[in-house]
Amino acid sequence: MPPSARAEPGNVVTLNVGGQLFQTTPQTLALAGPDSLLSSVASSLPSSSAVPFIDRDPDLFAVLLSLLRTGRIPSRATAAFDHDDLLAEARFYALHPLFLSALSSHALFDAFALRRSLLLPLPGRDACSALAPLPFDASLLVAHGGKVSSFDPSLRRRATVLTPLPAVDSLLALGPLAAAGAADFPGLHLLDLGHPGGPVRHVLRWCPHPSAPDAAVQAIGSSPDLLFCSFESCRRNASAILAFDLTTFQPVTEIARREIYGAELDSAIPATKLQWVPGSNLLMAAGSHGGPSGLLGDIRLWDVRSGEAIWELKEKHNCFADVTVSDGLSAMFKVGINSGEVFMADIRKLSSEEPWICIGDGRRPATGKKEGSGCRIESYGRHVFCSRGGDVEMWTEVVMGCGRRGEDGLESERVMRRNSMGGTKDGGGKKINLLGFGGNRMVVARKEEQWVEVWESSPGS
């Protein structure tokens, strides 16, 4: 990880870049590296009351600041900016070499060239329970039991810390910090993995009522400015999503608050997956619950600023086993719990009617088994990856020519193609239960295995 500086959460600084004001913290700027212009600006702030001015493009700076804050390149930046422009701007600010490498490796990701390259053993006897790759530099965080192991971008150096959590179920990398939670332990824990005094820097809490115990964490997500956490009360009768400021970690808003009344078990299904959709500035929140009538699911797209759900779908028949959003493809994808097939819904055309279109084999007869149980689905760039047993399949979009002209102009027919992953020797193994992506890598965790697999792609492979 790049060097970091510590500062109190409330220590907010302002920069003027090209006439646009940005607010952040000294520790975020320090992540740019000791030789960076931004580090120099951060160190000079206490001795100057003036707002520092940098005569550069504010839009490009916003992308780099988001990279420093979250360790992620916003999906919209890939389409809006030329990669060489971003890399040139990063070099102007003299960002840490890891960030420069990240901007390069992100562009080197070739899904068709992914091959299993190495295994990373985990200390102890616990299998992997959560993955958090950092897209900007391909470093990796892995939770196993109550421990979190961090691997540097080369994957040669590993450090492991013990958290207060009995078992880490949710994990998210936040630049120099990591957010961790457990489904049966209260509070969202912010971990400073390199601090000698102990990993826990702060605990973010929520409780449904003043006299109620603190709630446990069900899912974590983030946007360039906000940290999202889905909480569920210890009695399993109330849930909510809280948004925290990524600079101060103070709560900003509460959305999706639900409580169980009577026998309406599906009225308080907590979100177990949170995913930010940059192109739409929406938060996808999805969760499912097994009840007397089978598996029930709930998917919502939230406008966090207004606190309103702009779209909602309750799933009863063939509920999702897992669901994801691809900002690059402007679509949601799910694996049906009963059919095991992959379905797509265009988020630009959502309505109250059934949005899903089967892109798999919709003619396959029902077997009565839950064919999709345990399948995982994730998106990265313009690709969608789905695990099936011990293998991974990839879905890519193929444009098949122009379709009819609608109110929004000329449209193209959308066709998704299934592709097998890797070579013959890469397939098989125990059931895959987690997938993660960062830089030019895919990371795979398998059931009951005390290691994770790393798949890498490189040009010309």
Side-chain angles (χ1 to χ4, degrees):
M1 294 290 296
S4 61
R6 297 180 61 82
E8 294 301 319
N11 192 5
V12 179
V13 298
T14 303
L15 299 177
N16 184 337
V17 181
Q20 185 172 332
L21 297 181
F22 294 86
Q23 287 193 316
T24 184
T25 61
Q27 69 265 29
T28 297
L29 295 178
L31 288 174
D35 300 324
S36 170
L37 170 63
L38 300 180
S39 259
S40 301
V41 169
S43 62
S44 66
L45 287 172
S47 60
S48 174
S49 59
V51 175
F53 176 77
I54 304 174
D55 191 14
R56 300 294 290 187
D57 188 322
D59 295 329
L60 291 172
F61 179 77
V63 176
L64 298 181
L65 183 58
S66 178
L67 179 63
L68 293 175
R69 283 172 170 165
T70 67
R72 300 173 185 274
I73 301 171
S75 300
R76 65 180 183 276
T78 304
F81 299 102
D82 183 83
H83 176 261
D84 291 337
D85 291 341
L86 286 173
L87 193 57
E89 199 71 0
R91 286 173 175 151
F92 168 81
Y93 289 105
L95 295 192
H96 192 280
L98 289 180
F99 289 106
L100 298 178
S101 173
L103 286 167
S104 300
S105 65
H106 189 272
L108 294 178
F109 181 79
D110 182 355
F112 292 95
L114 282 171
R115 297 291 184 271
R116 184 162 50 190
S117 59
L118 72 155
L119 302 179
L120 299 178
L122 304 175
R125 299 181 179 181
D126 296 303
C128 174
S129 55
L131 290 171
L134 275 74
F136 77 89
D137 69 355
S139 57
L140 174 65
L141 301 181
V142 181
H144 44 108
K147 301 180 287 294
V148 174
S149 291
S150 57
F151 295 85
D152 75 337
S154 70
L155 304 180
R156 295 189 180 96
R157 292 189 295 273
R158 182 191 70 203
T160 301
V161 298
L162 181 64
T163 75
L165 305 173
V168 178
D169 305 310
S170 303
L171 186 64
L172 182 69
L174 296 172
L177 303 178
D184 57 357
F185 196 85
L188 175 63
H189 291 64
L190 300 181
L191 309 177
D192 188 341
L193 302 178
H195 193 257
V200 180
R201 174 172 169 181
H202 197 55
V203 181
L204 308 179
R205 305 179 186 275
W206 177 80
C207 57
H209 307 288
S211 60
D214 291 333
V217 174
Q218 303 300 312
I220 314 171
S222 69
S223 72
D225 304 308
L226 297 172
L227 170 65
F228 303 105
C229 183
S230 171
F231 288 99
E232 184 182 32
S233 66
C234 61
R235 295 182 179 180
R236 313 288 188 191
N237 61 352
S239 62
I241 298 172
L242 263 66
F244 300 90
D245 186 284
L246 264 179
T247 300
T248 64
F249 295 113
Q250 295 299 310
V252 175
T253 188
E254 175 185 312
I255 61 175
R257 181 164 182 148
R258 296 289 186 270
E259 296 191 32
I260 291 178
Y261 298 101
E264 297 180 6
L265 297 178
D266 63 338
S267 63
I269 297 176
T272 53
K273 190 162 192 176
L274 300 175
Q275 195 170 349
W276 181 249
V277 190
S280 308
N281 284 320
L282 299 173
L283 176 69
M284 185 204 74
S288 60
H289 172 79
S293 57
L295 192 65
L296 305 175
D298 186 81
I299 305 173
R300 289 185 175 93
L301 293 176
W302 289 92
D303 182 342
V304 178
R305 291 168 297 183
S306 68
E308 300 291 332
I310 68 164
W311 181 80
E312 178 181 0
L313 178 68
K314 291 189 177 296
E315 298 228 308
K316 296 182 180 180
H317 173 68
N318 199 26
C319 176
F320 59 86
D322 196 12
V323 62
T324 190
V325 178
S326 170
D327 192 45
L329 295 171
S330 299
M332 285 191 299
F333 296 84
K334 78 165 186 178
V335 184
I337 186 69
N338 295 328
S339 66
E341 292 299 337
V342 177
F343 295 78
M344 179 178 73
D346 193 324
I347 61 177
R348 300 168 300 183
K349 305 175 184 178
L350 293 176
S351 66
S352 58
E353 301 177 358
E354 173 61 35
W356 299 113
I357 298 174
C358 181
I359 59 176
D361 186 1
R363 299 168 297 178
R364 190 167 64 178
T367 63
K369 301 179 181 179
K370 296 189 182 302
E371 301 288 348
S373 178
C375 291
R376 293 291 175 262
I377 191 165
E378 300 289 348
S379 64
Y380 190 58
R382 295 180 60 84
H383 307 283
V384 177
F385 301 83
C386 179
S387 70
R388 294 189 181 279
D391 297 311
V392 181
E393 63 185 29
M394 175 182 64
W395 292 86
T396 54
E397 184 179 34
V398 180
V399 178
M400 302 296 289
C402 295
R404 61 179 178 83
R405 181 181 295 273
E407 295 179 356
D408 54 348
L410 193 63
E411 299 176 348
S412 295
E413 181 183 0
R414 304 193 73 181
V415 176
M416 299 297 295
R417 174 180 295 169
R418 189 199 318 250
N419 306 273
S420 58
M421 294 289 298
T424 304
K425 65 179 181 180
D426 297 319
K430 287 188 177 180
K431 188 172 185 176
I432 294 171
N433 55 8
L434 291 170
L435 294 172
F437 297 88
N440 65 337
R441 294 168 176 155
M442 175 176 74
V443 185
V444 173
R446 297 182 185 271
K447 185 177 180 180
E448 299 176 347
E449 297 286 13
Q450 287 81 43
W451 41 259
V452 294
E453 292 176 15
V454 177
W455 294 48
E456 292 182 296
S457 64
S458 58
S461 61

